[in-house]
Amino acid sequence: MSNPVFFTDPGTLDQQVPGSTFILGGSEARHAVTVKRLGAGESVDIADGAGKRLTGTVRAAAPGELTVECSELAVEPRPGIRLVLVQALAKGDRDELGAETATELGIDAVIPWQAERSIVRWKAERAAKAHAKWQSVVTAAAKQARRAWIPEVRAAVDGAGLQSAVAAADFAVILHEDAVRPLRQVLEAWRDSQPPAGGPSGPDREVLLVVGPEGGISPREVTRLCDAGAVTALLGHHVLRSSTAGPAATVLASDILGRW
């Protein structure tokens, strides 16, 4: 069984080497000691959410503090092709569920989208709170999945903001029930048109997967996003919920684009 993972701030693992000691504090230490009841001699991973993972052994556990001896420090590179889920706001926390499950499956970033047909609205007074909740949900999912990277929840966008994001991306796919070409075909065609991905500099391509709200993406939105450079694709024979489409597309894209 893999080690439990706890997060620390980016940069705090930079000086760790085999044999050194790292002290985890705060809420993560309380969770490790009080909830998980970790004790001396047990193995654990500490990740900084930005690719560094310390694997070590617990040497001491006290309320609010976990002392770990480092046995290995690994740096997990980002994939050469990053997947970004554009998740339309949806009722009943289905938008959060989509972001959560996509995180477990390997999504690299999430963009909340205020679509024309979104019933849920992030008004000024609740936008910051809602964004923080999404980031918390994504962080918890990354922890559960034992990830070293925590996906970034980017600022929420409206229609114009999403058009700009599509224009800036290397590729953008709108998951749409009226599309003609299947998602597999669309992704394979784009993949085959690209030079080899990867390299020591990190991610060099970004693919947006656009998921609409429960009422679907409006024809006007589809037209504007396609004008900005997006293409439509059919995910399957059936209409999926807003919470299901993004994770399903993440799985397929991860396979086709060589991430898995």
Side-chain angles (χ1 to χ4, degrees), residues 86-90 111-123 126-127 156-160 162 213 221:
V86 178
Q87 177 66 59
L89 303 185
I111 301 176
W113 172 33
Q114 185 75 69
E116 289 183 3
R117 293 176 177 173
S118 290
I119 296 174
V120 174
R121 296 284 162 178
W122 282 14
K123 297 181 180 179
R126 65 169 294 188
V157 297
D158 56 11
L162 182 52
E221 287 174 318

Short mmCIF file of all heavy atoms in Angstrom, two decimals, residues 86-90 111-123 126-127 156-160 162 213 221:
data_model
loop_
_atom_site.label_atom_id
_atom_site.label_comp_id
_atom_site.label_asym_id
_atom_site.label_seq_id
_atom_site.Cartn_x
_atom_site.Cartn_y
_atom_site.Cartn_z
N VAL A 86 -12.11 23.12 -17.91
CA VAL A 86 -12.96 24.31 -17.80
C VAL A 86 -14.33 23.80 -17.38
O VAL A 86 -15.06 23.19 -18.18
CB VAL A 86 -13.05 25.07 -19.14
CG1 VAL A 86 -13.98 26.27 -19.00
CG2 VAL A 86 -11.67 25.52 -19.59
N GLN A 87 -14.67 23.99 -16.13
CA GLN A 87 -15.89 23.43 -15.55
C GLN A 87 -16.93 24.53 -15.35
O GLN A 87 -16.75 25.43 -14.54
CB GLN A 87 -15.59 22.75 -14.22
CG GLN A 87 -16.81 22.20 -13.50
CD GLN A 87 -17.45 21.05 -14.24
OE1 GLN A 87 -16.82 20.03 -14.50
NE2 GLN A 87 -18.72 21.20 -14.58
N ALA A 88 -18.03 24.43 -16.09
CA ALA A 88 -19.11 25.40 -15.91
C ALA A 88 -19.73 25.25 -14.53
O ALA A 88 -19.85 24.13 -14.01
CB ALA A 88 -20.16 25.23 -16.99
N LEU A 89 -20.12 26.35 -13.93
CA LEU A 89 -20.78 26.31 -12.63
C LEU A 89 -22.11 25.58 -12.79
O LEU A 89 -22.87 25.83 -13.73
CB LEU A 89 -21.01 27.72 -12.10
CG LEU A 89 -19.77 28.60 -11.96
CD1 LEU A 89 -20.14 29.93 -11.30
CD2 LEU A 89 -18.68 27.90 -11.17
N ALA A 90 -22.40 24.69 -11.86
CA ALA A 90 -23.61 23.88 -11.92
C ALA A 90 -24.22 23.74 -10.54
O ALA A 90 -23.53 23.91 -9.52
CB ALA A 90 -23.30 22.50 -12.52
N ILE A 111 -10.57 25.63 -14.30
CA ILE A 111 -11.07 26.99 -14.49
C ILE A 111 -12.59 26.99 -14.28
O ILE A 111 -13.32 26.39 -15.08
CB ILE A 111 -10.76 27.53 -15.90
CG1 ILE A 111 -9.26 27.55 -16.16
CG2 ILE A 111 -11.33 28.94 -16.07
CD1 ILE A 111 -8.90 27.99 -17.58
N PRO A 112 -13.09 27.63 -13.22
CA PRO A 112 -14.55 27.75 -13.07
C PRO A 112 -15.09 28.71 -14.13
O PRO A 112 -14.53 29.79 -14.36
CB PRO A 112 -14.71 28.34 -11.66
CG PRO A 112 -13.38 28.15 -10.99
CD PRO A 112 -12.36 28.21 -12.08
N TRP A 113 -16.20 28.31 -14.75
CA TRP A 113 -16.75 29.10 -15.85
C TRP A 113 -18.19 29.48 -15.58
O TRP A 113 -19.03 28.61 -15.36
CB TRP A 113 -16.65 28.28 -17.15
CG TRP A 113 -17.33 28.87 -18.34
CD1 TRP A 113 -17.47 30.19 -18.65
CD2 TRP A 113 -17.96 28.13 -19.40
NE1 TRP A 113 -18.15 30.34 -19.84
CE2 TRP A 113 -18.46 29.10 -20.32
CE3 TRP A 113 -18.15 26.79 -19.67
CZ2 TRP A 113 -19.15 28.72 -21.47
CZ3 TRP A 113 -18.82 26.42 -20.82
CH2 TRP A 113 -19.31 27.38 -21.71
N GLN A 114 -18.45 30.78 -15.60
CA GLN A 114 -19.82 31.30 -15.46
C GLN A 114 -20.46 31.29 -16.84
O GLN A 114 -20.41 32.25 -17.60
CB GLN A 114 -19.81 32.72 -14.89
CG GLN A 114 -21.18 33.29 -14.59
CD GLN A 114 -21.78 32.68 -13.35
OE1 GLN A 114 -21.31 32.91 -12.24
NE2 GLN A 114 -22.82 31.88 -13.51
N ALA A 115 -21.06 30.14 -17.22
CA ALA A 115 -21.67 30.01 -18.53
C ALA A 115 -23.03 30.71 -18.58
O ALA A 115 -23.62 31.02 -17.54
CB ALA A 115 -21.84 28.52 -18.88
N GLU A 116 -23.50 30.96 -19.78
CA GLU A 116 -24.78 31.65 -19.93
C GLU A 116 -25.91 30.90 -19.25
O GLU A 116 -26.81 31.51 -18.67
CB GLU A 116 -25.10 31.83 -21.43
CG GLU A 116 -24.22 32.85 -22.14
CD GLU A 116 -24.63 33.03 -23.58
OE1 GLU A 116 -25.63 32.40 -24.02
OE2 GLU A 116 -23.97 33.81 -24.30
N ARG A 117 -25.88 29.58 -19.30
CA ARG A 117 -26.97 28.78 -18.76
C ARG A 117 -26.68 28.25 -17.36
O ARG A 117 -27.43 27.41 -16.85
CB ARG A 117 -27.27 27.62 -19.70
CG ARG A 117 -27.85 28.08 -21.05
CD ARG A 117 -28.05 26.91 -21.99
NE ARG A 117 -28.66 27.33 -23.25
CZ ARG A 117 -28.83 26.54 -24.30
NH1 ARG A 117 -28.42 25.26 -24.24
NH2 ARG A 117 -29.39 26.99 -25.40
N SER A 118 -25.61 28.71 -16.74
CA SER A 118 -25.31 28.30 -15.36
C SER A 118 -26.38 28.85 -14.43
O SER A 118 -26.63 30.06 -14.41
CB SER A 118 -23.93 28.80 -14.93
OG SER A 118 -22.90 28.12 -15.61
N ILE A 119 -26.98 27.98 -13.66
CA ILE A 119 -27.96 28.43 -12.67
C ILE A 119 -27.25 29.05 -11.47
O ILE A 119 -27.67 30.07 -10.93
CB ILE A 119 -28.84 27.25 -12.24
CG1 ILE A 119 -29.65 26.73 -13.43
CG2 ILE A 119 -29.77 27.65 -11.09
CD1 ILE A 119 -30.45 25.48 -13.14
N VAL A 120 -26.16 28.44 -11.06
CA VAL A 120 -25.36 28.96 -9.96
C VAL A 120 -24.62 30.21 -10.42
O VAL A 120 -24.10 30.27 -11.54
CB VAL A 120 -24.35 27.90 -9.47
CG1 VAL A 120 -23.42 28.47 -8.41
CG2 VAL A 120 -25.09 26.69 -8.93
N ARG A 121 -24.57 31.22 -9.56
CA ARG A 121 -23.88 32.46 -9.87
C ARG A 121 -22.88 32.79 -8.77
O ARG A 121 -23.22 32.75 -7.59
CB ARG A 121 -24.88 33.61 -10.01
CG ARG A 121 -25.84 33.44 -11.17
CD ARG A 121 -25.17 33.75 -12.49
NE ARG A 121 -25.90 33.19 -13.63
CZ ARG A 121 -25.55 33.34 -14.89
NH1 ARG A 121 -24.46 34.02 -15.18
NH2 ARG A 121 -26.25 32.79 -15.87
N TRP A 122 -21.65 33.10 -9.19
CA TRP A 122 -20.64 33.54 -8.23
C TRP A 122 -20.65 35.07 -8.22
O TRP A 122 -19.93 35.71 -8.98
CB TRP A 122 -19.26 33.04 -8.64
CG TRP A 122 -19.02 31.61 -8.30
CD1 TRP A 122 -19.94 30.68 -7.93
CD2 TRP A 122 -17.75 30.93 -8.29
NE1 TRP A 122 -19.35 29.46 -7.71
CE2 TRP A 122 -18.00 29.59 -7.92
CE3 TRP A 122 -16.45 31.32 -8.57
CZ2 TRP A 122 -16.98 28.64 -7.81
CZ3 TRP A 122 -15.43 30.38 -8.48
CH2 TRP A 122 -15.69 29.06 -8.09
N LYS A 123 -21.49 35.64 -7.38
CA LYS A 123 -21.54 37.09 -7.28
C LYS A 123 -20.34 37.58 -6.46
O LYS A 123 -19.67 36.81 -5.78
CB LYS A 123 -22.86 37.51 -6.64
CG LYS A 123 -24.07 37.12 -7.48
CD LYS A 123 -25.36 37.58 -6.82
CE LYS A 123 -26.57 37.18 -7.68
NZ LYS A 123 -27.85 37.59 -7.05
N ARG A 126 -19.58 36.40 -2.88
CA ARG A 126 -19.34 34.99 -2.61
C ARG A 126 -18.26 34.38 -3.50
O ARG A 126 -17.87 33.23 -3.30
CB ARG A 126 -20.63 34.19 -2.78
CG ARG A 126 -21.17 34.15 -4.19
CD ARG A 126 -22.29 33.13 -4.33
NE ARG A 126 -21.83 31.76 -4.14
CZ ARG A 126 -22.58 30.69 -4.37
NH1 ARG A 126 -23.83 30.83 -4.76
NH2 ARG A 126 -22.09 29.48 -4.20
N ALA A 127 -17.77 35.15 -4.45
CA ALA A 127 -16.81 34.60 -5.42
C ALA A 127 -15.54 34.09 -4.73
O ALA A 127 -15.06 32.99 -5.03
CB ALA A 127 -16.47 35.64 -6.47
N ALA A 156 -12.15 32.49 -11.79
CA ALA A 156 -13.36 32.21 -12.56
C ALA A 156 -13.45 33.15 -13.76
O ALA A 156 -13.01 34.30 -13.70
CB ALA A 156 -14.59 32.37 -11.67
N VAL A 157 -14.01 32.64 -14.85
CA VAL A 157 -14.13 33.43 -16.06
C VAL A 157 -15.58 33.47 -16.53
O VAL A 157 -16.37 32.57 -16.24
CB VAL A 157 -13.25 32.87 -17.21
CG1 VAL A 157 -11.78 32.94 -16.84
CG2 VAL A 157 -13.66 31.43 -17.54
N ASP A 158 -15.92 34.54 -17.24
CA ASP A 158 -17.20 34.61 -17.93
C ASP A 158 -16.96 34.24 -19.39
O ASP A 158 -15.90 33.71 -19.74
CB ASP A 158 -17.82 36.00 -17.78
CG ASP A 158 -16.89 37.11 -18.28
OD1 ASP A 158 -15.86 36.80 -18.93
OD2 ASP A 158 -17.21 38.30 -18.04
N GLY A 159 -17.92 34.52 -20.25
CA GLY A 159 -17.77 34.16 -21.65
C GLY A 159 -16.56 34.79 -22.31
O GLY A 159 -15.78 34.12 -23.00
N ALA A 160 -16.38 36.09 -22.08
CA ALA A 160 -15.24 36.79 -22.70
C ALA A 160 -13.92 36.26 -22.15
O ALA A 160 -12.94 36.09 -22.89
CB ALA A 160 -15.36 38.29 -22.46
N LEU A 162 -13.33 33.27 -21.02
CA LEU A 162 -13.06 31.95 -21.56
C LEU A 162 -12.57 32.03 -23.00
O LEU A 162 -11.69 31.27 -23.41
CB LEU A 162 -14.30 31.08 -21.47
CG LEU A 162 -14.13 29.63 -21.96
CD1 LEU A 162 -12.95 28.95 -21.29
CD2 LEU A 162 -15.40 28.83 -21.74
N PRO A 213 -22.74 23.60 -18.38
CA PRO A 213 -23.59 23.40 -17.21
C PRO A 213 -24.71 22.40 -17.50
O PRO A 213 -24.77 21.83 -18.61
CB PRO A 213 -24.16 24.80 -16.96
CG PRO A 213 -24.26 25.37 -18.34
CD PRO A 213 -23.06 24.84 -19.10
N GLU A 221 -22.45 30.62 -27.41
CA GLU A 221 -21.17 30.35 -26.75
C GLU A 221 -20.29 29.44 -27.61
O GLU A 221 -19.08 29.66 -27.73
CB GLU A 221 -21.41 29.70 -25.38
CG GLU A 221 -21.93 30.65 -24.33
CD GLU A 221 -22.31 29.96 -23.04
OE1 GLU A 221 -22.91 28.87 -23.11
OE2 GLU A 221 -21.99 30.49 -21.96
#
